[in-house]
Amino acid sequence: MRKKVLDVAEDAFQARGYHASSIGDLMAAAGVSGGALHHHFPTKKALALAVIDERVAAAVEETWIAPVLAAASAREGVRAVFEAVAAELEQQGFVRGCPLNNLAHELSLADPDFRIALAGIFAGWRRAIADKLRADQQAGRDEGTHPERFAALAVAAYSGAMSMAKTAQDAGVLRDCLAGLERSAPSLSQGGLAARRRNRILPRPRTS
């Protein structure tokens, strides 16, 4: 019964949003009584936190973290995820958006507990990409790239692309963003190195 309620709530929160999904609607869709629902989830907020912790976090793990960690490199993992998600959405024929992104837009300012839970998933996502890139660098690859900045850029590009794809109902936006990310990432990754070179070349200001 708990799993059924989570299934229904997850689908409702993604399709209509948290605020537009009433407890009555969720009870009717799950076919449970108020007492049964409240036995597992005392409040609607508790139900939403369970969806975030158990379903949204799992979706990010399955869609992003596991494929990136299993890839030959961080960059190849990021590319593979963008391409796989775009292909899946094109086959599906519609775009509901990123589950994490959808709830983050709606709930981050609604309640501090929601914000903390959602921020924790974003942080874990970024950390996994950065850790993979650090492992690449230990193997002598991608040494000019800043791991945390690359991870932030990859997550932001994907999140923004999914928002645009949802609005346009066009998964091709993901492919456009991937192409832009791949063209810009090398130059962005060298920013720190270029700055250090400029510091060596430009004369230091004289001090009295």
Side-chain angles (χ1 to χ4, degrees):
M1 183 178 294
R2 184 179 188 279
K3 179 181 181 300
K4 187 172 185 180
V5 172
L6 280 173
D7 288 341
V8 167
E10 177 187 13
D11 185 72
F13 295 163
Q14 292 300 321
R16 298 192 300 276
Y18 170 80
H19 294 294
S21 302
S22 70
I23 286 291
D25 292 337
L26 298 176
M27 288 167 46
V32 300
S33 66
L37 187 148
H38 288 100
H39 172 72
H40 295 288
F41 307 103
T43 64
K44 183 181 176 185
K45 175 181 174 179
L47 175 56
L49 286 171
V51 168
I52 293 169
D53 292 339
E54 299 179 32
R55 297 303 179 81
V56 176
V60 172
E61 174 71 31
E62 179 182 356
T63 302
W64 262 98
I65 295 176
V68 167
L69 295 181
S73 70
R75 289 185 186 276
E76 290 182 24
V78 169
R79 181 185 308 114
V81 171
F82 268 84
E83 291 175 346
V85 172
E88 181 180 352
L89 293 176
E90 287 165 351
Q91 183 177 14
Q92 179 176 279
F94 63 92
V95 182
R96 292 179 68 173
C98 169
L100 176 58
N101 215 32
N102 289 343
L103 290 180
H105 283 199
E106 181 181 10
L107 299 179
S108 290
L109 297 180
D111 184 285
D113 292 331
F114 288 145
R115 183 187 62 76
I116 291 169
L118 294 163
I121 299 174
F122 273 115
W125 180 3
R126 291 174 58 179
R127 184 166 56 250
I129 297 173
D131 287 347
K132 179 67 173 181
L133 186 52
R134 270 189 286 271
D136 295 343
Q137 292 172 342
Q138 290 176 357
R141 301 188 301 271
D142 229 333
E143 294 179 348
T145 302
H146 190 293
E148 283 75 18
R149 291 172 186 169
F150 175 77
L153 179 61
V155 171
Y158 179 82
S159 298
M162 286 295 281
S163 291
M164 289 189 291
K166 179 180 178 180
T167 302
Q169 285 300 297
D170 179 8
V173 176
L174 280 159
R175 300 187 190 281
D176 292 339
C177 285
L178 174 60
L181 177 65
E182 290 185 322
R183 282 196 297 269
S184 63
S187 62
L188 290 174
S189 68
Q190 297 298 329
L193 179 60
R196 289 194 295 273
R197 285 173 176 165
R198 285 195 299 271
N199 287 338
R200 289 197 299 267
I201 293 170
L202 294 177
R204 295 179 182 274
R206 295 180 180 179
T207 57
S208 55

